[in-house]
Amino acid sequence: MLGVWCGDWNISLPEKIEALSGSCVTINCTFNINNTYNKYLIDSAAGMWIKDKTDFLKNAVFNSNTPSLSFKGEIIGKLKSKNCTTIFFNVTSNHSGKFYFRIEGNGPLKNNYTKKSVLLDVIDFPPKPTVQMFKDQMEVEVHEEVLEGSSMCLRCSAKTLCSSSPPTLTWSSTDRLHLNENSRLQLDQQKQTEIISDLNFTATHLQHGVTFICTITYQIQQRNTTAQNNITLCVQYAPKISLFSCNRTDVTVCLCEAHGNPSPKVEWFLSGCPVSNSTNTSISEERLNSTDLRSFISLHQSLTHTETLQCVTNNSYDTASQLIQLDSSFHKMFSGFIIFYVLIGAAGALVMIILGVITHKR
């Protein structure tokens, strides 16, 4: 039956497998034979792997019944049940290439599965894990902006490959947020085991610009090897006033600092009327970064105790404001500082007089 191919003789193999140098590799494999040959598929049947060429007699690198061949491994599937899943140990760059399977049973059952092969790629370093972003359970582009309050899931996934112990996925972030992660194992479409870790949270403005890093760690021959991938969140949020203060002497100077994404604008209102640069008023702004804006206003005119000053900030999502009463508390506060420093000075003078009297007596 050498080289026969028809509907009854087929094999299922992954198209490509990556393996870490120095580790092991598992090839998931199942096959079919013509029903008339089932009686020849006995417990002592041999499974063989041939590398790169289809000369099955000269290029066999593995035979389940002949352990002396060049590639060390084991068929962990049961050939009698038509499962040819195989594991190779301590793979090196010599293992890279295409592999074909051959079954040898009793009597006439000898078949080469030449129509399908698996490409084995031996790599020196593990591939980066895949990081995906889901917003409200829908996958979105990595660089897409998300709105504050959205339900977020960051998913990190990677092939488990083959190592002395299962790999681990861990999350970290640039601002050391507390992370609630959930890891699990599942099979991918090529029936390779995949490790997945989900990070679930509600997007807030505190996460804008934060980079989340996923690290996979493999243990290969008593040493750890790692790979990383990351994603940086761009969170859009309504503006917020983070600082509002005034100092009033002859000139009233106020500071209003706001942040939002998109970056907000700041406007000033004196007793409900908009204020702009004029002879008696000067307004200046300082852009701190892409989300923070600082605005100063100086009022040179005389103000009554009933007037109010309001800072209003807005972007495309909302508006925020804060109001301050320009009453006599400013003068009281300023006078309080003067009294405080006068008392300190008087106390200091009194101490000096006492020390002088003591010195004079001596």
Side-chain angles (χ1 to χ4, degrees):
M1 292 294 299
L2 189 64
V4 171
W5 177 261
C6 62
D8 293 332
W9 301 87
N10 53 58
I11 190 168
S12 175
L13 291 169
E15 292 183 2
K16 182 179 178 180
I17 299 178
E18 286 186 328
L20 276 173
S21 180
S23 69
C24 50
V25 63
T26 300
I27 302 174
N28 291 298
C29 173
T30 58
F31 65 96
N32 283 324
I33 62 175
N34 187 285
N35 289 336
T36 59
Y37 291 86
N38 282 336
K39 60 184 178 181
Y40 301 113
L41 189 59
I42 57 177
D43 290 331
S44 59
M48 301 172 62
W49 288 98
I50 289 79
K51 182 175 177 289
D52 293 332
K53 299 180 181 179
T54 55
D55 188 340
F56 280 67
L57 298 179
K58 294 182 179 179
N59 294 287
V61 293
F62 173 84
N63 186 324
S64 59
N65 289 346
T66 309
S68 61
L69 290 184
S70 57
F71 288 2
K72 305 304 178 184
E74 177 185 358
I75 293 183
I76 57 178
K78 193 171 183 179
L79 290 176
K80 193 172 182 181
S81 300
K82 302 172 185 175
N83 187 329
C84 45
T85 298
T86 303
I87 183 170
F88 290 144
F89 304 117
N90 194 23
V91 296
T92 66
S93 57
N94 292 331
H95 287 73
S96 293
K98 287 186 176 182
F99 287 79
Y100 301 84
F101 184 72
R102 171 183 171 88
I103 184 70
E104 289 187 356
N106 195 22
L109 178 56
K110 294 177 176 61
N111 188 66
N112 305 328
Y113 292 89
T114 58
K115 297 295 183 180
K116 281 191 177 182
S117 63
V118 54
L119 177 62
L120 179 58
D121 183 19
V122 179
I123 54 180
D124 293 325
F125 303 98
K128 290 182 178 181
T130 300
V131 177
Q132 299 167 284
M133 183 167 67
F134 295 83
K135 179 181 67 175
D136 299 326
Q137 300 182 346
M138 299 291 293
E139 185 174 3
V140 296
E141 294 294 328
V142 169
H143 300 293
E144 184 172 333
E145 295 180 328
V146 298
L147 185 61
E148 185 174 35
S150 300
S151 176
M152 299 299 302
C153 173
L154 300 184
R155 175 165 297 171
C156 182
S157 59
K159 297 290 189 299
T160 59
L161 300 180
C162 185
S163 55
S164 55
S165 61
T168 57
L169 288 176
T170 54
W171 286 97
S172 58
S173 66
T174 51
D175 66 348
R176 299 182 181 180
L177 293 174
H178 174 70
L179 306 178
N180 181 23
E181 54 190 287
N182 176 33
S183 296
R184 66 184 185 275
L185 292 173
Q186 68 179 32
L187 293 178
D188 67 3
Q189 293 180 348
Q190 292 186 339
K191 295 184 178 180
Q192 296 186 62
T193 305
E194 188 176 40
I195 184 171
I196 295 175
S197 180
D198 286 341
L199 199 58
N200 298 289
F201 56 92
T202 300
T204 73
H205 66 278
L206 298 176
Q207 295 154 350
H208 175 70
V210 173
T211 298
F212 294 86
I213 306 155
C214 178
T215 303
I216 187 163
T217 302
Y218 297 91
Q219 188 176 38
I220 306 297
Q221 295 182 350
Q222 307 304 314
R223 62 179 176 86
N224 289 337
T225 181
T226 63
Q228 290 183 338
N229 205 350
N230 63 73
I231 184 172
T232 301
L233 285 193
C234 182
V235 181
Q236 292 188 318
Y237 59 95
K240 308 172 193 299
I241 295 178
S242 54
L243 179 62
F244 187 33
S245 64
C246 290
N247 180 29
R248 183 178 179 185
T249 55
D250 294 335
V251 178
T252 300
V253 179
C254 295
L255 160 68
C256 183
E257 190 172 305
H259 63 97
N261 188 29
S263 183
K265 298 178 181 179
V266 170
E267 296 177 287
W268 293 95
F269 292 83
L270 183 62
S271 296
C273 297
V275 182
S276 58
N277 280 305
S278 65
T279 304
N280 296 324
T281 306
S282 61
I283 299 174
S284 62
E285 291 184 343
E286 180 184 357
R287 182 73 61 184
L288 302 179
N289 50 48
S290 62
T291 59
D292 291 60
L293 176 67
R294 181 180 291 165
S295 180
F296 299 89
I297 185 170
S298 299
L299 301 171
H300 300 271
Q301 69 225 55
S302 60
L303 301 171
T304 67
H305 294 168
T306 60
E307 288 185 289
T308 59
L309 187 64
Q310 186 180 27
C311 172
V312 178
T313 178
N314 67 85
N315 65 9
S316 56
Y317 288 103
D318 206 349
T319 299
S321 66
Q322 194 165 336
L323 182 138
I324 195 167
Q325 186 80 33
L326 299 176
D327 56 21
S328 57
S329 61
F330 283 94
H331 297 291
K332 292 176 182 178
M333 184 185 302
F334 185 70
S335 301
F337 282 123
I338 294 176
I339 294 170
F340 175 76
Y341 285 114
V342 167
L343 290 175
I344 291 293
L350 181 60
V351 169
M352 292 299 293
I353 291 171
I354 294 172
L355 290 175
V357 172
I358 294 172
T359 302
H360 178 71
K361 286 182 177 181
R362 287 181 178 178

